Amino acid sequence: MENTKDLTEHTSRAERKRRDSFGMFDGYDSCSEDTSSSSSSDESEEEVAPLPSSLPIIKNNGQVYTYPDGKSGMATCEMCGMVGVRDAFYSKTKRFCSVSCSRSYSSNSKKASILARLQGKPPTKKAKVLQKQPLVAKLAAYAQYQATLQNQAKTKAAVPVEGFSWGNYINSNSFTAAPVTCFKHAPMGTCWGDISEGVRVEVPNTDCSLPTKVFWIAGIVKLAGYNALLRYEGFENDSSLDFWCNVCGSDIHPVGWCATSGKPLVPPRTIQHKYTNWKAFLVKRLTGAKTLPPDFSQKVSESMQYPFKTSMRVEVVDKTHLCRTRVAVVESVIGGRLRLVYEESEDKTDDFWCHMYSPLIHHIGWSRSIGHRFKRSDITKKQDGHFDAPPHLFMKVKEVDAAGEWFKEGMKLEAIDPLNLSAICVATIRKVLADGYLMIGIDGSEAADGSDWFCYHATSPSIFPVGFCEINMIELTPPRGYAKLPFKWFDYLRETDSIAAPVKLFNKEVPNHGFHVGMKLEAVDLMEPRLVCVATVTRIIHRLLRIHFDGWEDEYDQWVDCESPDLYPVGWCQLTGYQLQPPAPQSSRDSQSSSSKQKKKAKSQQYKGHKKMTSLQLKEELLDGEEYSFLQGASDQESNGSASYYIKQEP
């Protein structure tokens, strides 16, 4: 037993000896603890130039952290850590206690600071003296955040898509993905910061024969939404071991995490003999580089906390009768998307998917408050455990002033057809509700009882003034059965004895959304809203995006607002554990004209009642300029600016 114990202790000591202050194993580094101290070899001193005199600092994703002394009239030497009266210190800046400390600092500051950053330590004695307790507290909190994220990763594994890889799809076609900052409703959408190409991270080293999990530093080569193409440090222009990884995943950490967590940094086996001094190499490569913020994993975790909980009751549009709402109960929450089960569904199969910020859901009592139709439930009292969702959880609409000139029943406009989202149609305001809400019907397709009217708010980006499509060269769908083609608004208004809704009442705000034609993303198929699909932005009209589902025909494209909560960055499904629908395979695209159309339309009919078979054969022609003239506009406004694209009536 004693021999075994001695052997174990000897092995443990040897293991600790083999692992240096970087967390690096000396089996992969010829530089020992002694040769990598502050008096390093000439080779490393030549490679490493001194940093600016503003050190000691910790550069972290562009942020600079300094260590104040916290004592008025006192100063702390930034070389030796001695505290004394400021007036007695050397130089005008009073940063050093003597000339020798100033000179020593200049020669050693760069190497000491970078090594300290890698080791997760303060860069000078000053930092140790003044920041010891706060640093320990920060490291403890950071370790707790990492543990929380890892626990979440264990309980919520990513959903794989067999045969589809975003990385391969983007690489093989040189695609570009919409940046995370385009999606304010998505995790990290408002706090993504300046994560970009060149940012360094610590990731698992898969090119290693050691039995334990080890790490190495990698740089971001390309970003695609949440996904990053990474390359291990030391591979230079060699892309043979490049790999894709979700930046918000539990295996990506800021530089310095390994040292603070006691994890070993080991160079990849392929390049382990490329450099004789890996420490000097890392110091040189990491100088001035950015890494993730130390609280990045905490921010990811916080941004994936959702206020809606299971068993909450809401009012949601009735998918079989768009003119009314029904009570539904939150059955599950995935990435902010809610699976709502209508309250009267005994087997819980009658459901509806939408995002928690969708304009289709409201608090209990909303319908009565604005005068909207509502289907009363046969259930006389709440079921045990069900409770009403608080009103403050729902997306707020802009307040409007309906006291002056306002929308009136019978006014004409153009609107996205919720039963055929690829079409913008001739429409009529059928009823004006409270708080700025309007009931709208598609001309020529309305049911006699108004059961297919739908509700849009006056500020909705899905309604447009008369002439919007024509001036922006979008195909306008005329009323079904209207024989006088090509359709002309002036003739139609005269024939129907109608007036156009005033242009000034519509929402003209165009945010700087950041989307460009050709960008890839993940988008909800709103005709089958449980599906999130691989998609592409194919047109941009100010704030309006034309979304194409890869592998499907163009007739299934959908017009969607740039701030729609049904659009997500590449990698969102993997991050949240939602199932991603890959593009239709190439082999089936040629035969799509018959079978896939029927399949797609069958799915659509399951969603919001009967999908309209609207003809889109109207060709784009300019209106006669006798009574109306158009302000100069452009077709695809990628500038994100609010160009003039509305019609005006001549006096």
Side-chain angles (χ1 to χ4, degrees):
M1 289 294 292
E2 287 188 23
N3 292 339
T4 304
K5 182 178 180 181
D6 293 342
L7 180 61
T8 303
E9 291 180 354
H10 177 74
T11 303
S12 177
R13 286 195 298 269
E15 182 77 288
R16 289 196 298 270
K17 186 176 180 181
R18 288 182 61 217
R19 187 179 298 179
D20 62 18
S21 58
F22 274 87
M24 292 178 62
F25 281 100
D26 63 6
Y28 290 84
D29 188 3
S30 60
C31 187
S32 68
E33 199 64 53
D34 294 334
T35 60
S36 63
S37 63
S38 59
S39 57
S40 184
S41 63
D42 294 338
E43 176 186 353
S44 61
E45 287 296 336
E46 290 176 358
E47 292 178 350
V48 180
L51 283 180
S53 58
S54 59
L55 290 182
I57 60 174
I58 297 177
K59 290 187 176 180
N60 197 320
N61 206 20
Q63 301 181 25
V64 179
Y65 300 90
T66 58
Y67 300 92
D69 58 21
K71 295 182 180 180
S72 178
M74 304 294 288
T76 303
C77 179
E78 295 183 13
M79 181 62 200
C80 68
M82 188 187 80
V83 179
V85 179
R86 182 181 297 276
D87 291 340
F89 269 45
Y90 175 74
S91 80
K92 293 181 180 180
T93 59
K94 308 301 181 185
R95 296 172 58 220
F96 308 101
C97 64
S98 64
V99 176
S100 60
C101 278
S102 176
R103 291 176 178 172
S104 299
Y105 182 91
S106 297
S107 61
N108 293 325
S109 61
K110 179 175 183 178
K111 180 175 182 180
S113 297
I114 298 299
L115 293 183
R117 179 69 182 93
L118 287 170
Q119 295 168 355
K121 300 177 181 178
T124 64
K125 289 184 179 180
K126 171 188 175 183
K128 290 181 180 179
V129 172
L130 299 175
Q131 292 291 101
K132 184 175 181 180
Q133 292 304 321
L135 181 63
V136 171
K138 289 178 180 178
L139 293 180
Y142 180 71
Q144 183 177 359
Y145 298 145
Q146 290 293 335
T148 302
L149 191 63
Q150 290 176 359
N151 290 335
Q152 289 179 349
K154 291 178 182 178
T155 58
K156 184 195 63 182
V159 178
V161 178
E162 185 176 356
F164 178 77
S165 164
W166 262 121
N168 294 338
Y169 191 56
I170 288 176
N171 277 348
S172 59
N173 298 281
S174 299
F175 290 141
T176 301
V180 174
T181 52
C182 290
F183 310 88
K184 305 303 181 186
H185 58 280
M188 301 299 292
T190 58
C191 53
W192 188 249
D194 56 353
I195 298 175
S196 58
E197 296 177 5
V199 168
R200 305 302 205 283
V201 293
E202 292 179 351
V203 293
N205 177 6
T206 58
D207 183 28
C208 181
S209 58
L210 294 174
T212 58
K213 186 176 183 179
V214 296
F215 294 79
W216 189 240
I217 296 172
I220 297 178
V221 178
K222 183 175 182 178
L223 267 179
Y226 293 117
N227 295 344
L229 181 63
L230 300 177
R231 181 173 300 169
Y232 289 122
E233 285 295 341
F235 275 80
E236 308 299 338
N237 296 323
D238 181 3
S239 60
S240 60
L241 288 185
D242 288 2
F243 60 99
W244 286 89
C245 192
N246 196 301
V247 176
C248 297
S250 59
D251 270 339
I252 290 192
H253 311 281
V255 172
W257 175 85
C258 283
T260 60
S261 303
K263 305 294 184 182
L265 275 178
V266 179
R269 180 173 50 185
T270 303
I271 58 169
Q272 66 186 34
H273 301 300
K274 187 174 181 179
Y275 297 97
T276 58
N277 189 339
W278 279 104
K279 293 190 188 72
F281 167 79
L282 289 180
V283 168
K284 183 177 180 180
R285 291 289 294 174
L286 296 177
T287 300
K290 295 180 180 180
T291 188
L292 299 178
D295 60 345
F296 185 76
S297 62
Q298 176 196 4
K299 289 182 178 179
V300 172
S301 179
E302 290 175 350
S303 67
M304 295 181 68
Q305 302 299 316
Y306 308 107
F308 279 86
K309 308 300 179 184
T310 56
S311 299
M312 281 185 173
R313 300 170 76 243
V314 301
E315 289 186 9
V316 63
V317 64
D318 186 341
K319 64 182 182 181
T320 59
H321 295 82
L322 299 186
C323 65
R324 68 188 185 189
T325 58
R326 296 170 61 184
V327 173
V329 179
V330 178
E331 181 69 18
S332 60
V333 182
I334 304 178
R337 293 193 63 77
L338 312 178
R339 179 178 179 259
L340 303 173
V341 175
Y342 290 114
E343 197 169 47
E344 294 174 302
S345 176
E346 296 181 358
D347 58 359
K348 296 186 177 181
T349 58
D350 190 9
D351 61 359
F352 185 86
W353 280 90
C354 67
H355 193 272
M356 62 183 183
Y357 294 147
S358 170
L360 300 178
I361 60 171
H362 310 276
H363 61 85
I364 299 295
W366 172 84
S367 297
R368 176 183 295 180
S369 68
I370 70 160
H372 194 284
R373 290 188 191 179
F374 177 76
K375 181 186 178 183
R376 294 187 179 277
S377 174
D378 293 337
I379 300 176
T380 56
K381 62 179 182 179
K382 299 178 187 177
Q383 297 183 17
D384 292 341
H386 293 177
F387 58 102
D388 296 350
H392 71 269
L393 299 185
F394 298 85
M395 196 67 176
K396 300 294 186 295
V397 295
K398 294 181 181 179
E399 294 185 3
V400 295
D401 182 14
E405 187 177 10
W406 192 240
F407 292 101
K408 294 183 174 64
E409 291 183 16
M411 283 183 172
K412 299 294 183 182
L413 70 164
E414 298 175 3
I416 297 176
D417 184 354
L419 294 178
N420 183 9
L421 294 164
S422 66
I424 299 179
C425 306
V426 174
T428 303
I429 297 175
R430 293 303 179 187
K431 189 176 181 180
V432 179
L433 308 179
D435 297 340
Y437 287 96
L438 310 170
M439 296 302 295
I440 297 173
I442 300 298
D443 284 22
S445 304
E446 298 176 65
D449 59 354
S451 60
D452 56 356
W453 294 354
F454 48 92
C455 185
Y456 278 146
H457 193 263
T459 60
S460 170
S462 298
I463 58 174
F464 317 96
V466 163
F468 172 84
C469 285
E470 197 69 35
I471 196 63
N472 289 286
M473 292 184 286
I474 301 174
E475 197 167 29
L476 176 66
T477 302
R480 182 181 299 176
Y482 187 74
K484 194 176 178 180
L485 299 178
F487 177 85
K488 297 183 184 298
W489 262 116
F490 176 73
D491 292 339
Y492 186 69
L493 291 175
R494 183 172 55 190
E495 292 167 5
T496 57
D497 193 22
S498 305
I499 61 172
V503 172
K504 64 181 182 181
L505 299 182
F506 292 85
N507 180 11
K508 305 179 187 65
E509 181 183 353
V510 180
N512 186 20
H513 49 68
F515 286 102
H516 295 284
V517 170
M519 282 183 169
K520 297 292 179 181
L521 69 162
E522 298 177 3
V524 175
D525 179 355
L526 292 170
M527 302 309 298
E528 182 75 19
R530 64 184 177 85
L531 302 180
V532 178
C533 311
V534 173
T536 307
V537 177
T538 57
R539 285 194 71 182
I540 301 176
I541 310 296
H542 309 287
R543 66 179 299 149
L544 196 61
L545 309 180
R546 181 80 170 178
I547 301 299
H548 173 75
F549 298 104
D550 291 19
W552 292 95
E553 295 180 351
D554 293 346
E555 65 180 276
Y556 304 116
D557 292 0
Q558 297 177 1
W559 288 110
V560 180
D561 183 63
C562 65
E563 294 183 341
S564 168
D566 295 306
L567 304 178
Y568 308 102
V570 166
W572 179 86
C573 282
Q574 181 190 15
L575 175 64
T576 61
Y578 206 97
Q579 180 69 54
L580 176 67
Q581 302 299 315
Q586 186 68 37
S587 58
S588 66
R589 294 182 187 179
D590 297 335
S591 60
Q592 220 180 81
S593 57
S594 57
S595 61
S596 65
K597 284 182 183 179
Q598 295 173 0
K599 179 180 178 181
K600 190 80 172 182
K601 290 175 180 176
K603 290 192 300 180
S604 302
Q605 291 169 0
Q606 295 173 6
Y607 165 40
K608 288 183 178 178
H610 301 288
K611 184 184 177 194
K612 300 176 181 177
M613 306 303 178
T614 307
S615 172
L616 297 179
Q617 297 177 351
L618 178 63
K619 294 184 178 180
E620 296 169 310
E621 296 182 7
L622 293 176
L623 293 178
D624 292 339
E626 297 176 358
E627 299 292 335
Y628 288 82
S629 66
F630 292 92
L631 300 178
Q632 185 63 35
S635 165
D636 294 348
Q637 298 292 334
E638 289 193 59
S639 64
N640 305 335
S642 54
S644 299
Y645 56 96
Y646 292 120
I647 188 174
K648 67 176 182 179
Q649 187 171 0
E650 292 293 334

